[in-house]
Amino acid sequence: MAEAATVSQRAKVIARGFVPVSALLISACSTVVPRGPAPPPRPSQAPPPVARPDTGVEAGIPRDTARNRIALLVPLSGANAGVGKSLANATQLALLDTRSEQIRITNYDTALGATAAAQRAVADGAQLILGPLLADDVRAVAPIARRASVPVISFSNDVGVAGDGVYLLGYTPSQSIERVVAYARSRGVTNFGGLVPNALYGSRASTVFLRAVESAGGRVVALQTYDRAPNSIGAAVTRMAKDAPFDGVLIADSAATAATAVPLLRRASPNTRVIGTELWNSDSGVAARPALNGAWFASVSNTLYRQYAVKYRARFGAAPYRLSSLGYDAVLLAARISRDWRVGARFPEARLRSGEGYAGIDGAFRFGRDGVAERALDVQEIRGGSSVVVSPAPASFGR
């Protein structure tokens, strides 16, 4: 990857069409400051107002009618304010990079009520909604947006809320599991074991895991569930021991949880290959966990994200949340489509369902018929304190 100065020269073409991932740029931005009330008239003529930079991002109701209006619905207060603000910052960076003059983004705080936020956004004239982050908030927002014929591009990974005008950009476990299982099978892993939590994520992960292993020509010889309680995963590993040894074991949980289970797993199956999910990519310390050395997991590429994180920190004085790249990529998508989006008209939703590919910080993606973003994923191996790409993301979706 070239230095930022080189990448900057390429950034101007992002909003003009499908660009290779290597052409992506992250840049800084300014914040619009609303004007206060006008002062009382004075005998002498007041000096002309000072021009203020306009980035197209505003915390209140947009003041002009020359741009299409996009609402960003994220938590800006409360327990999830950190990730919400990081998403909002990312949209600012993306809006400046694309230099789009046809869209304006207004932020709405879902922590104060997702339903109220959606109602305000629609009343303010939003023609596209980015967010919400949480699946329950998507369920609250979807019917309001649907009645107004406003598409929703959510940051959730819960496929249960996708469809009928709702599109998911979030990283879904199904694609990650399918990708890493196929890779493991290609490397000689035949007998699989699985450890999944007793939760919705675990339930969906186990279904995908069983299907993926069968499709790859392997077999699942043990699948155990566990509760979110101390020693529960250890008990599940003990129950699996009767079916050992395994060529590979999927641990469908965070990297921290997986690291606690691996030493127990090695007692019953010393040479097993540990397999993780996309959750591991959001753990900045995953590679520093010795127990996970040699483990595989599939995720979006981190190549451009590292550049983005440097630019983000320089602008905002803090590291971004890993999920914030979803906000950046959502704006890249909207900016590209905006060239065919007449100001004042409805958002051309059919473009989201066309099957064409889009490029972003997280690599190539496109929306399937179910409204879920299909992504090209890397397979990474934890090796000597770092994550190494052992199977790069495919250059195309293969169909």
Side-chain angles (χ1 to χ4, degrees):
M1 181 59 61
E3 295 296 327
T6 303
V7 182
S8 298
Q9 298 171 1
R10 303 177 182 173
K12 299 179 181 178
V13 302
I14 292 177
R16 301 176 185 169
F18 189 100
V19 296
V21 176
S22 60
L24 201 61
L25 164 76
I26 298 90
S27 178
C29 72
S30 301
T31 302
V32 175
V33 180
R35 293 189 177 91
R42 309 182 74 155
S44 59
Q45 185 176 0
V50 178
R52 298 177 183 270
D54 186 355
T55 65
V57 179
E58 184 173 301
I61 298 175
R63 295 170 297 180
D64 66 65
T65 57
R67 306 181 193 188
N68 285 313
R69 301 179 181 184
I70 297 176
L72 176 68
L73 273 61
V74 290
L76 298 174
S77 60
N80 294 308
V83 64
K85 290 176 181 177
S86 195
L87 283 160
N89 290 342
T91 64
Q92 293 184 33
L93 293 176
L95 194 59
L96 270 180
D97 287 350
T98 60
R99 299 185 180 181
S100 175
E101 298 180 354
Q102 290 185 281
I103 59 177
R104 177 181 288 277
I105 300 174
T106 307
N107 300 339
Y108 298 84
D109 187 0
T110 55
L112 303 177
T115 297
Q119 290 171 338
R120 289 196 304 272
V122 169
D124 289 347
Q127 297 132 301
L128 174 67
I129 290 175
L130 305 182
L133 174 65
L134 305 178
D136 285 345
D137 287 347
V138 178
R139 293 186 181 95
V141 167
I144 298 168
R146 195 172 297 125
R147 287 193 295 270
S149 299
V150 174
V152 175
I153 300 179
S154 170
F155 307 131
S156 171
N157 67 350
D158 186 345
V159 297
V161 300
D164 199 10
V166 176
Y167 301 83
L168 259 61
L169 267 183
Y171 318 126
T172 60
S174 59
Q175 295 177 33
S176 172
I177 292 171
E178 289 167 355
R179 174 81 165 98
V180 74
V181 164
Y183 176 76
R185 187 70 189 91
S186 73
R187 296 296 301 272
V189 176
T190 300
N191 296 325
F192 290 81
L195 290 165
V196 297
N198 279 320
L200 181 60
Y201 182 94
S203 175
R204 289 176 174 168
S206 62
T207 299
V208 172
F209 177 56
L210 291 168
R211 185 177 65 238
V213 171
E214 180 182 7
S215 177
R219 64 191 186 109
V220 177
V221 296
L223 181 62
Q224 292 290 334
T225 61
Y226 56 91
D227 297 323
R228 301 283 190 180
N231 303 320
S232 181
I233 193 168
V237 173
T238 299
R239 293 193 299 271
M240 285 181 63
K242 61 182 177 59
D243 299 307
F246 313 102
D247 298 328
V249 173
L250 173 76
I251 305 178
D253 212 323
S254 68
T257 299
T260 64
V262 170
L264 301 174
L265 182 63
R266 297 282 188 208
R267 295 176 188 173
S269 188
N271 299 316
T272 192
R273 179 74 69 164
V274 176
I275 300 170
T277 73
E278 86 296 340
L279 293 176
W280 292 17
N281 202 43
S282 61
D283 184 343
S284 59
V286 60
R289 301 181 187 277
L292 300 182
N293 194 53
W296 292 326
F297 66 98
S299 71
V300 295
S301 173
N302 286 322
T303 301
L304 285 170
Y305 178 81
R306 294 187 184 102
Q307 297 182 39
Y308 159 77
V310 170
K311 292 288 186 178
Y312 184 104
R313 181 184 288 275
R315 174 63 188 176
F316 298 106
Y321 279 74
R322 184 60 182 84
L323 288 176
S324 68
S325 59
L326 298 177
Y328 191 101
D329 286 354
V331 174
L332 288 188
L333 172 65
R336 181 187 174 189
I337 293 177
S338 69
R339 65 184 182 180
D340 301 321
W341 182 11
R342 182 172 53 83
V343 174
R346 289 182 177 178
F347 180 80
E349 184 180 351
R351 288 286 303 277
L352 298 177
R353 300 190 298 263
S354 66
E356 62 184 303
Y358 298 94
I361 289 174
D362 290 329
F365 69 95
R366 65 178 180 180
F367 290 108
R369 294 181 180 179
D370 57 359
V372 178
E374 178 185 2
R375 296 183 176 277
L377 302 178
D378 287 339
V379 175
Q380 300 181 48
E381 178 179 320
I382 299 173
R383 186 186 301 168
S386 63
S387 294
V388 179
V389 175
V390 292
S391 178
S396 67
F397 292 104
R399 60 178 185 273

